[in-house]
Amino acid sequence: MWCTVLHVVDGSTLYGKGQRDSQVTEGGAVGRPKKLRQGDTVLTHEHIVATALQLADTDGIEQLSMRRLATELDCGVMSLYHYITDKEALIEALVDQVAGEVVPPPADVAWRTAVQHIAESALEAQLRHPWAISVWSTTWPGPHRFGLVEQLLDALADAGLPPDIADLGFHALTNHIQGFAQQQLSYRQLESRAEVTGQRLEATLAQGEFPRVAEHVEFHRTNRTAYDEFGFALNLILDGLERLADS
């Protein structure tokens, strides 16, 4: 799910269609302020993205617009288009900013340790910015996301896996990261209507048609142990890959 772009190449580019390699301002390199009239706000690509990230974290990605961003930056909307072409390009830049928060694994660690580190850090980064979870796999990847994919593939290559198994392992890992993040997001959304959800669940289970589900729910009610659900499934994947690497 992290490499949709590797399967469907549709002509999109990093910061909007019709541009190549990087977003270049009229002043030259990325982030260089455009020359403005006296009294105008001086903008940089980095400042725009950082401000947009704060707005997305606070209000959600649906509420983010170029006009809302311009108001926050105290500049005209048209000034933003010197740096970012449209909202789609802005979201691409934001998702890549989140990917940039993933901490690379330490050098010279074993492949399994590297994969665990990448997976845990990627999950933490997405959960810090929940809006990014739903758009992670549908936006064109920037340099940070490409780098993240490269790190994970490099760790799997170090495991000595055959190419087909490394490919399957990569997708198993990224599907686990993305799926778990989406599940956690769903849980957060359910918390806002927990009372109603609980009443519906009680009414359904009271009919006695789903005894195993009832046992499962009761287990969660009575057992407050903090299980590492993410780590448990991650280790199952890694155990399987390790066996295949040794075979």
Side-chain angles (χ1 to χ4, degrees):
M1 293 179 70
W2 279 12
C3 62
T4 306
V5 66
L6 303 182
H7 295 284
V8 183
V9 179
D10 61 1
S12 300
T13 55
L14 179 57
Y15 292 119
K17 296 178 180 178
Q19 299 181 5
R20 290 291 178 185
D21 299 329
S22 62
Q23 177 69 17
V24 180
T25 71
E26 287 189 2
V30 171
R32 185 180 300 173
K34 174 181 175 288
K35 291 182 179 180
L36 302 173
R37 296 185 302 269
Q38 185 177 2
D40 284 347
T41 301
V42 177
L43 301 172
T44 66
H45 184 273
E46 289 80 2
H47 182 46
I48 292 170
V49 172
T51 302
L53 184 62
Q54 292 176 350
L55 291 175
D57 288 345
T58 302
D59 303 329
I61 200 70
E62 297 82 5
Q63 302 302 317
L64 181 62
S65 67
M66 299 296 276
R67 186 169 299 280
R68 172 74 179 87
L69 179 57
T71 299
E72 187 70 18
L73 289 166
D74 191 25
C75 70
V77 175
M78 296 306 296
S79 297
L80 297 180
Y81 294 119
H82 289 288
Y83 303 88
I84 297 177
T85 56
D86 52 29
K87 184 177 178 179
E88 180 182 352
L90 178 62
I91 293 175
E92 291 172 5
L94 289 177
V95 174
D96 200 56
Q97 187 85 351
V98 174
E101 295 182 10
V102 179
V103 181
D108 301 324
V109 298
W111 73 268
R112 179 168 181 147
T113 302
V115 170
Q116 285 180 308
H117 182 97
I118 294 168
E120 291 169 357
S121 185
L123 177 66
E124 291 168 0
Q126 291 192 55
L127 292 180
R128 282 194 297 270
H129 309 281
W131 57 266
I133 296 170
S134 62
V135 296
W136 187 270
S137 299
T138 59
T139 56
W140 181 268
H144 288 125
R145 284 180 62 198
F146 269 120
L148 189 54
V149 171
E150 182 75 12
Q151 290 172 25
L152 191 52
L153 289 173
D154 191 49
L156 292 172
D158 287 344
L161 293 164
D164 57 334
I165 301 301
D167 179 73
L168 291 170
F170 171 81
H171 290 291
L173 289 163
T174 56
N175 286 345
H176 174 50
I177 297 166
Q178 212 60 31
F180 193 87
Q182 184 61 57
Q183 182 191 59
Q184 296 304 300
L185 178 60
S186 298
Y187 287 163
R188 291 181 183 181
Q189 293 170 342
L190 284 172
E191 287 175 359
S192 63
R193 54 183 189 274
E195 184 176 351
V196 174
T197 302
Q199 291 172 352
R200 293 187 65 180
L201 181 61
E202 290 287 351
T204 300
L205 297 181
Q207 300 174 25
E209 296 181 45
F210 310 106
R212 295 299 184 188
V213 177
E215 290 177 4
H216 180 76
V217 171
E218 185 62 22
F219 172 81
H220 281 285
R221 283 175 175 166
T222 58
N223 193 317
R224 298 299 182 181
T225 303
Y227 293 105
D228 181 8
E229 296 179 358
F230 180 77
F232 177 78
L234 177 60
N235 280 315
L236 289 179
I237 296 171
L238 294 176
D239 287 345
L241 291 175
E242 200 163 45
R243 284 195 298 272
L244 291 170
D246 294 338
S247 63

